Amino acid sequence: MDGSKPSLPIVYQAVQALYHDPDHTGKERASVWLEELQRSMYAWEVSDQLLQLKQDVESCYFAAQTMKMKIQTSFYELPPETHIALRDSLLSHIQNLKDLSPIIITQLALAIADLALQMASWKGCVHTLIEKYGDDISSMPFLIEILTVLPEEVHSRSLRIGANRRTEIIEDLAFCSNTVIALLVTCVEKSGNDEKMLIKVFRCLGSWFNLGVLDSNFMASNQLIMVLFQVLQRHDTSTNLHEAASDCVCSALYAIENVDTHVALAMQLFKGVLTLETAYHMAVAREDLDKVLNYCRIFTELCETFMEITVRSPGQGMGDLRTLELLLICAGHPQYEVAEISFNFWYRLGEHLYKTNNPALHSVFRPYIQRLLHSLARHCQLDPDHEGIPEDTDDFGEFRMRVSDLVKDVIFLVGSMECFSQLYSTLKEGNPPWEVTEAVLFIMAAIAKSVDPENNPTLTEVLEQIVLLPQSVHMAVRYTSIELVGEMSEVVDRNPRFLDPVLNYLMKGLKEKPLASVAAKAIHNICSVCRDHMAQHFQGLLDIARSLDSFALSSDAAVGLLKGTALVLARLPLEKIAECLSDLCAVQVMALKKLLAQESSNGKTADPTVWLDRLAVIFRHTNPMVENGQTHPCQKVIQEIWPVLSETLNAHQADNRIVERCCRCLRFAVRCVGKGSASLLQPLVTQMVNVYQVYPHSCFLYLGSILVDEYGMEEGCRQGLLDMLQALCMPTFQLLEQPNGLRNHPDTVDDLFRLATRFVQRSPVTLLSSNIIIHIIQCAIAATTLDHRDANCSVMKFIRDLVHTGVSNDHEDDFEVRKQLIGQAMEQHGPQLVTQLVHSCCFCLPPYTLPDVAEVLWEIMVFDRPTFCRWLETALKGLPKETSGGAVTVTHKQLTDFHKQVTSAEECKQVCWAIREFTRLYR
């Protein structure tokens, strides 16, 4: 699109191409062109004209959607004197297009609602709309659509109307809510059994419940509540209407969560939901799963709403335990999806009871949890004709994992040991079919770790029986029994006599393809917990590690096995570690050498990441106890391996994924031996800097931060590390200074400021005295607007630690120098920094970043409170006081209150609270 206004025929042509062009490239071109049009100022006029001409559904939909988008994101483009004309135009369009398509009506309704929320001069918009259209039955569908989306848009993130305007709107909507309900009642009376209209009414009612503005006493005696339950009790209600009514009841229950202030309505809803039990059974009998799921949602919401009362006064009034009975009836449904709906409630109930820690109360709820666990165990059963191992990545596998998590959270109410024993006795005393056995073992695996392993004959008996399981039992039973053994590694540690039979049992599994990965995971668990006992089996682990690829292992399982082996390796006598580590690394090093040799002979590159990941996990978990002055046993091995890693890095320097894995491997190698890697420092830094000039992979910055962390306090290394930082910064700044550079390269921002922060922590004076510090601070100020979680966190941590350097460790020799250097930096950049931080909080950053910003402001204030007060005052004066729609964003009193709250704060969390409240004015 060029800079001029496009003609309507060209716009039509583009819309037609978007929807009907058989050529994908044509569609793409049309889409890009139309998006550009939507961003332009001409979009307002073009959309208005398209809606007026009403040529076809596609062009009207595009225009309605564009109008909504422009009002949401670009309302500031319109001068205030055009707002009334825009409103009248939109109302005219929605009336003229009411029969064309429901999706167009929804888009226009959203546009009208978003306009009403932003247009401060449109007072009493709900009354205006009802007066204008309330008596015309043909206008009712679009009127109710506007009244449905209006409350939904009040908290829309894309509007950013601010807390003052939002409060004003909510008060207005609360004031006229009874008028809206009266309209909905009239609508139900006039429309009789018109299902579409009833669905619209229920959606609208739910929307007003969700906003929390309805008068609960007025609603308690309102016939709409009665109509809702009548619809839900009828077995012939259609699926769509049933869902709309269920959604509405759930919204009503959510709205009265503070039951004590809504007693009358709470009582009506409570009684109403209890009457639905018969309807639920009818839906089960008719095998109507959609309705069953709806009822279960309602029962769950009922339990969530009345949970506090149920725990406070179980069995009395609205603490009636029939609510839990309803959920247990749902848990008894043959479809696991029904039971799953209630999981969040059971989590919350368990958490609540755990905090109250009242044994008498626990005993009231114990029978319900026991019945729940019984149902869950049944739901976890695989089909009797299932073959092979249980799948853990399909829907049912994910359901079983959620069951496992829930069981862990509520088991304290029943007692881990009691439950474990009961489950075991069902296997011991009966002769259940394989699918029951497997499900019982699965639940036992979920609670095994919470059973006290000390002197526990049941646990040892279970272990004894499992390792004797014949290979003829169903594959799924063997799989889950291996999982259970892995979860019982504490028992093995307390009873080392079981170590050999357990390892033999797991080795059998390791040799069978379906069981190999789960057996590897169990061996990893045993190695992690029984490290000392496993030292005698190190040779066996080494043999497994050497022939790792002869087993059918997933890459995670293979890495897990190596982790277990490395953990045991670190427990060997120091004099044996070097040789054993060399043996353990040899397979991976040989593989890397082989790949490099192949590449040099045939020019084809092969992927080395498998071997790099395996080396990384070995270095990461080989942590022997080394006394001061002793040579680290891993030092020699890592020096021997370095040339291969260096060559691999060079060979794949253009491939970010492989370079990342190389850097990760080197990071753990350096961490493994600490100062013992000094001989690698020079060649490693040289290679990093050289490759980074051509291929600026952010992982080099991260690796640099590790080197600074290890060597930054060594006098002889500081200048070299500063040279490294300066060499890495130049290409980094070039990358980040490109258009949208910060937004397009958040990993680089994250890793750059990790590196800079390490320098501040390890050698602040070296950094602060250098020329590069000014550029790093300027980059940090620019990056404070970045709403990427990790990148923003790194930037804020850098600024916070930098400023903190001016006040911390005042007993050290370099304190005065640090204080002076920070003072100079703050004098130069402080005003801009504070203004940018305030602006970022209000307009750019999500709420979860605010504690980090608060810490930065707090540190600046601690360093120099009087100067900070002036900077903050200047920053606040620069903020806009009104929205483009004419609403007051922030009052003078709110500005002065915020300034006072921050500048008089005595701890950081007070600054954080003040920022949270203040920034709501701009959201």
Side-chain angles (χ1 to χ4, degrees):
M1 201 185 119
D2 57 16
S4 57
K5 180 189 162 190
S7 67
L8 287 186
I10 290 175
V11 179
Y12 273 124
Q13 205 179 328
V15 172
Q16 288 305 306
L18 180 68
Y19 287 103
H20 303 295
D21 193 329
D23 176 26
H24 184 69
T25 320
K27 274 185 191 291
E28 278 291 310
R29 265 204 313 275
S31 175
V32 170
W33 190 88
L34 289 167
E35 279 175 19
E36 212 175 313
L37 168 62
Q38 285 181 319
R39 284 194 294 271
S40 76
M41 276 292 289
Y42 303 117
W44 297 101
E45 195 181 339
V46 168
S47 303
D48 190 51
Q49 290 171 340
L50 289 174
L51 290 167
Q52 227 158 357
L53 290 169
K54 195 179 168 181
Q55 190 157 328
D56 54 33
V57 172
E58 284 99 343
S59 62
C60 287
Y61 177 70
F62 169 75
Q65 188 197 35
T66 303
M67 268 297 187
K68 178 204 75 178
M69 207 176 86
K70 293 297 283 184
I71 291 169
Q72 272 185 354
T73 60
S74 310
F75 188 55
Y76 60 86
E77 291 177 352
L78 294 180
E81 58 271 19
T82 62
H83 293 172
I84 291 173
L86 174 64
R87 177 194 67 188
D88 295 346
S89 168
L90 286 170
L91 291 173
S92 159
H93 291 321
I94 201 167
Q95 191 159 25
N96 294 337
L97 298 166
K98 63 189 175 197
D99 301 321
L100 189 60
S101 161
I103 57 170
I104 292 171
I105 295 303
T106 300
Q107 293 299 308
L108 287 172
L110 283 164
I112 292 163
D114 291 342
L115 177 64
L117 296 175
Q118 293 180 90
M119 186 175 158
S121 59
W122 187 0
K123 305 287 184 192
C125 66
V126 171
H127 280 297
T128 314
L129 292 166
I130 292 176
E131 277 173 20
K132 190 166 185 177
Y133 304 112
D135 295 330
D136 175 15
I137 196 76
S138 69
S139 300
M140 205 58 85
F142 76 74
L143 173 60
I144 291 184
E145 188 66 27
I146 298 171
L147 293 175
T148 302
V149 297
L150 184 64
E152 290 170 352
E153 289 294 287
V154 169
H155 292 288
S156 163
R157 290 199 176 159
S158 51
L159 287 182
R160 299 187 78 96
I161 54 176
N164 287 336
R165 175 66 178 153
R166 194 171 286 113
T167 303
E168 184 188 341
I169 290 160
I170 289 171
E171 285 170 2
D172 281 353
L173 294 182
F175 180 73
C176 62
S177 61
N178 287 3
T179 313
V180 173
I181 298 303
L183 175 79
L184 296 180
V185 170
T186 309
C187 212
V188 169
E189 288 167 350
K190 283 185 181 173
S191 61
N193 290 326
D194 179 351
E195 185 183 300
K196 282 186 177 170
M197 187 51 80
L198 264 183
I199 290 173
K200 282 185 176 299
V201 167
F202 290 160
R203 267 194 62 225
C204 187
L205 178 59
S207 176
W208 284 73
F209 267 127
N210 285 335
L211 190 62
V213 293
L214 295 181
D215 178 340
S216 61
N217 289 327
F218 175 73
M219 290 309 300
S221 55
N222 192 276
Q223 71 188 74
L224 285 178
I225 300 293
M226 194 172 68
V227 173
L228 270 175
F229 285 111
Q230 284 171 350
V231 165
L232 289 167
Q233 282 160 355
R234 285 205 309 267
H235 65 81
D236 57 349
T237 299
S238 74
T239 303
N240 289 344
L241 180 57
H242 198 275
E243 184 170 5
S246 301
D247 289 343
C248 188
V249 171
C250 288
S251 296
L253 286 165
Y254 185 76
I256 57 150
E257 197 148 31
N258 189 357
V259 175
D260 297 337
T261 55
H262 304 285
V263 175
L265 180 56
M267 203 67 205
Q268 289 304 315
L269 293 170
F270 187 84
K271 287 176 180 169
V273 175
L274 288 180
T275 64
L276 299 178
E277 185 181 343
T278 310
Y280 168 83
H281 289 302
M282 182 66 76
V284 173
R286 289 167 170 263
E287 296 185 5
D288 190 336
L289 185 59
D290 288 332
K291 286 185 181 173
V292 167
L293 291 166
N294 286 336
Y295 289 125
C296 188
R297 282 196 297 128
I298 294 170
F299 298 155
T300 302
E301 201 62 62
L302 177 79
C303 288
E304 295 258 16
T305 296
F306 292 95
M307 187 182 77
E308 297 266 344
I309 290 184
T310 310
V311 172
R312 200 166 60 217
S313 50
Q316 296 167 34
M318 286 187 280
D320 193 328
L321 292 169
R322 277 184 297 169
T323 54
L324 297 188
E325 290 289 349
L326 288 175
L327 282 199
L328 290 172
I329 290 168
C330 291
H333 190 277
Q335 299 280 355
Y336 70 82
E337 294 91 341
V338 180
E340 194 171 13
I341 289 171
S342 64
F343 278 16
N344 191 54
F345 165 74
W346 295 112
Y347 279 127
R348 281 189 60 207
L349 178 66
E351 190 179 30
H352 203 75
L353 291 169
Y354 187 76
K355 283 178 183 168
T356 48
N357 194 18
N358 177 340
L361 202 54
H362 289 188
S363 64
V364 173
F365 291 95
R366 185 172 295 123
Y368 294 94
I369 300 297
Q370 282 171 330
R371 286 163 60 193
L372 173 70
L373 292 175
H374 182 76
S375 293
L376 293 177
R378 195 172 43 73
H379 279 302
C380 283
Q381 288 174 19
L382 298 163
D383 287 335
D385 56 358
H386 177 92
E387 291 180 3
I389 62 171
E391 287 294 330
D392 55 2
T393 52
D394 62 1
D395 288 347
F396 185 55
E398 286 177 8
F399 166 76
R400 284 179 28 130
M401 292 320 297
R402 283 194 284 275
V403 167
S404 177
D405 290 340
L406 177 57
V407 169
K408 286 170 186 160
D409 277 9
V410 299
I411 195 64
F412 73 93
L413 282 164
V414 179
S416 308
M417 189 58 232
E418 187 184 331
C419 183
F420 195 86
S421 301
Q422 280 177 356
L423 288 165
Y424 176 52
S425 64
T426 61
L427 299 181
K428 196 164 109 176
E429 289 159 18
N431 186 17
W434 76 264
E435 67 275 11
V436 175
T437 301
E438 190 279 334
V440 169
L441 289 170
F442 177 77
I443 302 292
M444 287 170 74
I447 59 177
K449 276 189 179 157
S450 61
V451 181
D452 183 2
E454 284 294 337
N455 305 322
N456 196 319
T458 306
L459 289 177
T460 52
E461 189 182 330
V462 168
L463 260 185
E464 271 172 329
Q465 292 305 312
I466 286 177
V467 297
L468 294 174
L469 273 177
Q471 285 177 286
S472 57
V473 298
H474 194 287
M475 187 63 79
V477 174
R478 291 181 64 201
Y479 180 95
T480 306
S481 69
I482 290 172
E483 274 193 321
L484 176 53
V485 169
E487 292 296 307
M488 293 176 74
S489 43
E490 293 274 0
V491 183
V492 179
D493 192 42
R494 301 287 202 292
N495 301 275
R497 69 181 190 279
F498 286 115
L499 193 55
D500 284 359
V502 162
L503 288 176
N504 289 338
Y505 180 67
L506 296 178
M507 277 306 297
K508 283 177 194 165
L510 195 62
K511 288 169 185 167
E512 287 185 54
K513 188 176 178 181
L515 304 175
S517 290
V518 73
K521 189 180 171 193
I523 293 171
H524 164 206
N525 281 358
I526 301 279
C527 289
S528 302
V529 175
C530 317
R531 290 165 73 172
D532 293 322
H533 297 308
M534 282 298 292
Q536 59 181 307
H537 292 279
F538 182 75
Q539 193 55 48
L541 291 172
L542 194 55
D543 292 341
I544 294 171
R546 280 180 180 143
S547 53
L548 213 48
D549 294 310
S550 66
F551 305 108
L553 297 174
S554 68
S555 56
D556 283 352
V559 164
L561 252 179
L562 287 173
K563 176 185 170 182
T565 308
L567 289 169
V568 175
L569 167 62
R571 285 288 204 270
L572 297 181
L574 276 187
E575 64 276 7
K576 286 191 175 179
I577 289 180
E579 185 192 342
C580 293
L581 178 62
S582 187
D583 286 349
L584 188 55
C585 295
V587 178
Q588 344 304 327
V589 174
M590 288 303 294
L592 287 173
K593 283 180 176 173
K594 193 174 170 188
L595 292 182
L596 289 167
Q598 283 171 0
E599 283 163 26
S600 60
S601 63
N602 63 19
K604 288 185 180 173
T605 57
D607 189 347
T609 52
V610 169
W611 314 105
L612 291 169
D613 287 351
R614 290 181 184 181
L615 278 176
V617 81
I618 294 167
F619 295 145
R620 184 177 189 175
H621 296 286
T622 304
N623 299 315
M625 303 292 286
V626 181
E627 302 290 326
N628 277 345
Q630 282 183 309
T631 303
H632 198 290
C634 304
Q635 188 175 318
K636 181 168 168 284
V637 181
I638 286 170
Q639 282 168 350
E640 288 166 1
I641 292 173
W642 158 248
V644 181
L645 293 177
S646 173
E647 234 181 297
T648 304
L649 178 54
N650 260 343
H652 299 276
Q653 57 184 271
D655 188 322
N656 183 57
R657 188 178 65 91
I658 295 174
V659 171
E660 224 168 54
R661 303 302 239 286
C662 279
C663 286
R664 187 169 172 273
C665 190
L666 286 163
R667 163 191 159 197
F668 289 125
V670 170
R671 287 291 196 208
C672 175
V673 293
K675 305 281 186 295
S677 60
S679 61
L680 303 184
L681 195 55
Q682 189 64 49
L684 175 55
V685 168
T686 305
Q687 186 172 5
M688 282 164 57
V689 169
N690 289 342
V691 176
Y692 194 77
Q693 306 299 320
V694 188
Y695 302 107
H697 303 299
S698 75
C699 52
F700 286 125
L701 299 171
Y702 188 90
L703 186 52
S705 74
I706 302 296
L707 296 176
V708 172
D709 195 36
E710 291 291 343
Y711 294 100
M713 296 177 85
E714 302 287 310
E715 194 59 53
C717 298
R718 285 176 172 173
Q719 189 55 47
L721 290 169
L722 181 64
D723 293 343
M724 172 193 77
L725 173 67
Q726 289 175 321
L728 293 172
C729 275
M730 289 311 140
T732 305
F733 292 151
Q734 284 170 7
L735 187 71
L736 299 180
E737 282 163 7
Q738 293 171 2
N740 285 326
L742 293 165
R743 187 165 293 281
N744 294 341
H745 304 283
D747 291 348
T748 301
V749 176
D750 182 13
D751 292 332
L752 171 67
F753 287 102
R754 278 175 190 270
L755 170 55
T757 303
R758 288 291 192 205
F759 238 112
V760 169
Q761 293 165 344
R762 293 287 175 259
S763 185
V765 176
T766 310
L767 180 62
L768 288 164
S769 310
S770 70
N771 295 328
I772 199 75
I773 186 63
I774 292 174
H775 304 290
I776 294 175
I777 292 172
Q778 285 170 341
C779 183
I781 292 172
T784 54
T785 59
L786 194 58
D787 65 345
H788 181 280
R789 187 185 287 266
D790 293 338
N792 191 277
C793 184
S794 283
V795 171
M796 295 302 170
K797 183 168 171 43
F798 163 70
I799 304 172
R800 185 193 71 201
D801 285 9
L802 184 76
V803 181
H804 187 65
T805 307
V807 293
S808 64
N809 299 326
D810 54 4
H811 58 282
E812 290 179 2
D813 296 343
D814 65 351
F815 172 66
E816 288 304 326
V817 182
R818 277 188 278 124
K819 187 178 175 183
Q820 184 192 351
L821 290 168
I822 293 296
Q824 289 167 1
M826 291 311 293
E827 194 178 332
Q828 195 174 352
H829 305 287
Q832 186 195 357
L833 173 60
V834 172
T835 299
Q836 184 79 306
L837 286 169
V838 169
H839 182 273
S840 297
C841 285
C842 293
F843 303 109
C844 308
L845 299 179
Y848 66 76
T849 60
L850 297 182
D852 294 339
V853 180
E855 287 186 7
V856 175
L857 292 173
W858 170 255
E859 287 298 341
I860 299 171
M861 188 160 68
V862 168
F863 183 74
D864 184 348
R865 196 176 284 250
T867 310
F868 171 75
C869 292
R870 291 199 305 277
W871 291 343
L872 182 61
E873 187 181 343
T874 307
L876 295 176
K877 280 177 181 169
L879 290 173
K881 312 296 184 284
E882 274 193 5
T883 65
S884 48
V888 173
T889 306
V890 61
T891 64
H892 179 71
K893 184 178 185 309
Q894 285 171 325
L895 285 169
T896 52
D897 285 353
F898 173 63
H899 187 274
K900 187 179 176 185
Q901 284 165 354
V902 173
T903 54
S904 63
E906 291 178 6
E907 51 184 344
C908 184
K909 64 181 175 187
Q910 292 172 320
V911 177
C912 187
W913 291 333
I915 292 174
R916 273 193 199 286
E917 285 306 308
F918 183 73
T919 53
R920 286 194 181 117
L921 299 172
Y922 287 90
R923 290 188 195 284

Tab-separated table of all heavy atoms in Angstrom, residues 512-533:
chain	number	residue	atom	x	y	z
A	512	GLU	N	15.290	-54.965	27.629
A	512	GLU	CA	14.092	-55.137	26.792
A	512	GLU	C	13.640	-53.775	26.267
A	512	GLU	O	13.441	-52.845	27.047
A	512	GLU	CB	12.964	-55.787	27.602
A	512	GLU	CG	13.212	-57.253	27.878
A	512	GLU	CD	12.023	-57.894	28.580
A	512	GLU	OE1	10.899	-57.780	28.039
A	512	GLU	OE2	12.219	-58.479	29.649
A	513	LYS	N	13.454	-53.682	24.979
A	513	LYS	CA	13.190	-52.390	24.339
A	513	LYS	C	12.056	-51.587	25.001
A	513	LYS	O	12.230	-50.414	25.325
A	513	LYS	CB	12.899	-52.611	22.844
A	513	LYS	CG	12.798	-51.319	22.067
A	513	LYS	CD	12.600	-51.574	20.576
A	513	LYS	CE	12.447	-50.236	19.854
A	513	LYS	NZ	12.240	-50.406	18.420
A	514	PRO	N	10.862	-52.193	25.241
A	514	PRO	CA	9.765	-51.375	25.795
A	514	PRO	C	10.059	-50.861	27.208
A	514	PRO	O	9.522	-49.849	27.628
A	514	PRO	CB	8.564	-52.335	25.813
A	514	PRO	CG	8.967	-53.521	24.996
A	514	PRO	CD	10.453	-53.598	25.031
A	515	LEU	N	10.914	-51.608	27.951
A	515	LEU	CA	11.144	-51.273	29.361
A	515	LEU	C	12.454	-50.524	29.598
A	515	LEU	O	12.735	-50.085	30.712
A	515	LEU	CB	11.154	-52.555	30.208
A	515	LEU	CG	9.908	-53.441	30.115
A	515	LEU	CD1	10.106	-54.730	30.900
A	515	LEU	CD2	8.687	-52.687	30.657
A	516	ALA	N	13.262	-50.369	28.542
A	516	ALA	CA	14.625	-49.853	28.729
A	516	ALA	C	14.634	-48.456	29.360
A	516	ALA	O	15.356	-48.207	30.331
A	516	ALA	CB	15.353	-49.833	27.381
A	517	SER	N	13.815	-47.548	28.835
A	517	SER	CA	13.871	-46.160	29.329
A	517	SER	C	13.386	-46.042	30.773
A	517	SER	O	13.979	-45.319	31.573
A	517	SER	CB	13.050	-45.234	28.426
A	517	SER	OG	13.714	-45.096	27.181
A	518	VAL	N	12.315	-46.757	31.109
A	518	VAL	CA	11.807	-46.668	32.487
A	518	VAL	C	12.791	-47.330	33.458
A	518	VAL	O	12.982	-46.853	34.588
A	518	VAL	CB	10.377	-47.245	32.600
A	518	VAL	CG1	10.354	-48.759	32.516
A	518	VAL	CG2	9.721	-46.793	33.900
A	519	ALA	N	13.461	-48.398	33.010
A	519	ALA	CA	14.469	-49.049	33.854
A	519	ALA	C	15.662	-48.117	34.068
A	519	ALA	O	16.215	-48.018	35.168
A	519	ALA	CB	14.921	-50.364	33.216
A	520	ALA	N	16.060	-47.402	32.984
A	520	ALA	CA	17.177	-46.449	33.091
A	520	ALA	C	16.839	-45.352	34.098
A	520	ALA	O	17.677	-44.939	34.911
A	520	ALA	CB	17.467	-45.838	31.724
A	521	LYS	N	15.587	-44.896	34.060
A	521	LYS	CA	15.161	-43.839	34.994
A	521	LYS	C	15.210	-44.357	36.438
A	521	LYS	O	15.633	-43.643	37.360
A	521	LYS	CB	13.744	-43.391	34.632
A	521	LYS	CG	13.295	-42.158	35.386
A	521	LYS	CD	11.876	-41.751	35.006
A	521	LYS	CE	11.390	-40.655	35.951
A	521	LYS	NZ	9.959	-40.425	35.852
A	522	ALA	N	14.803	-45.603	36.630
A	522	ALA	CA	14.828	-46.192	37.978
A	522	ALA	C	16.275	-46.346	38.476
A	522	ALA	O	16.582	-46.061	39.635
A	522	ALA	CB	14.120	-47.546	37.971
A	523	ILE	N	17.173	-46.772	37.570
A	523	ILE	CA	18.593	-46.901	37.956
A	523	ILE	C	19.146	-45.523	38.326
A	523	ILE	O	19.882	-45.373	39.313
A	523	ILE	CB	19.425	-47.545	36.810
A	523	ILE	CG1	18.984	-49.009	36.609
A	523	ILE	CG2	20.919	-47.475	37.104
A	523	ILE	CD1	19.570	-49.679	35.370
A	524	HIS	N	18.774	-44.515	37.554
A	524	HIS	CA	19.192	-43.135	37.854
A	524	HIS	C	18.732	-42.738	39.261
A	524	HIS	O	19.502	-42.180	40.047
A	524	HIS	CB	18.606	-42.207	36.777
A	524	HIS	CG	18.620	-40.752	37.127
A	524	HIS	ND1	17.733	-39.847	36.606
A	524	HIS	CD2	19.412	-40.028	37.963
A	524	HIS	CE1	17.980	-38.653	37.099
A	524	HIS	NE2	18.989	-38.734	37.923
A	525	ASN	N	17.453	-43.052	39.603
A	525	ASN	CA	16.930	-42.742	40.954
A	525	ASN	C	17.730	-43.452	42.039
A	525	ASN	O	18.067	-42.864	43.068
A	525	ASN	CB	15.456	-43.162	41.072
A	525	ASN	CG	14.530	-42.154	40.420
A	525	ASN	OD1	14.973	-41.136	39.926
A	525	ASN	ND2	13.238	-42.444	40.411
A	526	ILE	N	18.013	-44.743	41.798
A	526	ILE	CA	18.777	-45.532	42.786
A	526	ILE	C	20.171	-44.917	42.962
A	526	ILE	O	20.653	-44.746	44.088
A	526	ILE	CB	18.908	-47.017	42.334
A	526	ILE	CG1	17.518	-47.661	42.166
A	526	ILE	CG2	19.783	-47.809	43.282
A	526	ILE	CD1	16.844	-48.137	43.412
A	527	CYS	N	20.813	-44.541	41.848
A	527	CYS	CA	22.152	-43.929	41.920
A	527	CYS	C	22.112	-42.614	42.707
A	527	CYS	O	23.007	-42.327	43.499
A	527	CYS	CB	22.694	-43.641	40.522
A	527	CYS	SG	23.155	-45.114	39.608
A	528	SER	N	21.057	-41.812	42.487
A	528	SER	CA	20.963	-40.504	43.148
A	528	SER	C	20.809	-40.648	44.653
A	528	SER	O	21.397	-39.888	45.420
A	528	SER	CB	19.755	-39.711	42.613
A	528	SER	OG	19.869	-39.550	41.222
A	529	VAL	N	20.020	-41.644	45.078
A	529	VAL	CA	19.712	-41.788	46.510
A	529	VAL	C	20.726	-42.684	47.230
A	529	VAL	O	21.078	-42.447	48.377
A	529	VAL	CB	18.266	-42.326	46.690
A	529	VAL	CG1	17.958	-42.599	48.154
A	529	VAL	CG2	17.269	-41.334	46.111
A	530	CYS	N	21.197	-43.717	46.529
A	530	CYS	CA	22.091	-44.707	47.180
A	530	CYS	C	23.542	-44.545	46.698
A	530	CYS	O	24.200	-45.531	46.347
A	530	CYS	CB	21.611	-46.129	46.878
A	530	CYS	SG	19.836	-46.372	47.004
A	531	ARG	N	24.011	-43.307	46.628
A	531	ARG	CA	25.313	-43.049	45.990
A	531	ARG	C	26.448	-43.837	46.649
A	531	ARG	O	27.300	-44.404	45.970
A	531	ARG	CB	25.623	-41.543	46.030
A	531	ARG	CG	24.729	-40.753	45.104
A	531	ARG	CD	24.762	-39.275	45.387
A	531	ARG	NE	26.014	-38.665	44.953
A	531	ARG	CZ	26.243	-37.353	44.940
A	531	ARG	NH1	25.297	-36.535	45.330
A	531	ARG	NH2	27.394	-36.869	44.548
A	532	ASP	N	26.443	-43.836	47.980
A	532	ASP	CA	27.542	-44.531	48.675
A	532	ASP	C	27.488	-46.036	48.442
A	532	ASP	O	28.508	-46.676	48.182
A	532	ASP	CB	27.501	-44.210	50.177
A	532	ASP	CG	27.831	-42.738	50.429
A	532	ASP	OD1	28.721	-42.211	49.718
A	532	ASP	OD2	27.193	-42.117	51.286
A	533	HIS	N	26.289	-46.610	48.544
A	533	HIS	CA	26.163	-48.065	48.329
A	533	HIS	C	26.478	-48.442	46.884
A	533	HIS	O	26.950	-49.552	46.617
A	533	HIS	CB	24.729	-48.535	48.646
A	533	HIS	CG	24.343	-48.326	50.082
A	533	HIS	ND1	25.106	-48.766	51.137
A	533	HIS	CD2	23.251	-47.719	50.629
A	533	HIS	CE1	24.515	-48.435	52.282
A	533	HIS	NE2	23.389	-47.799	51.997
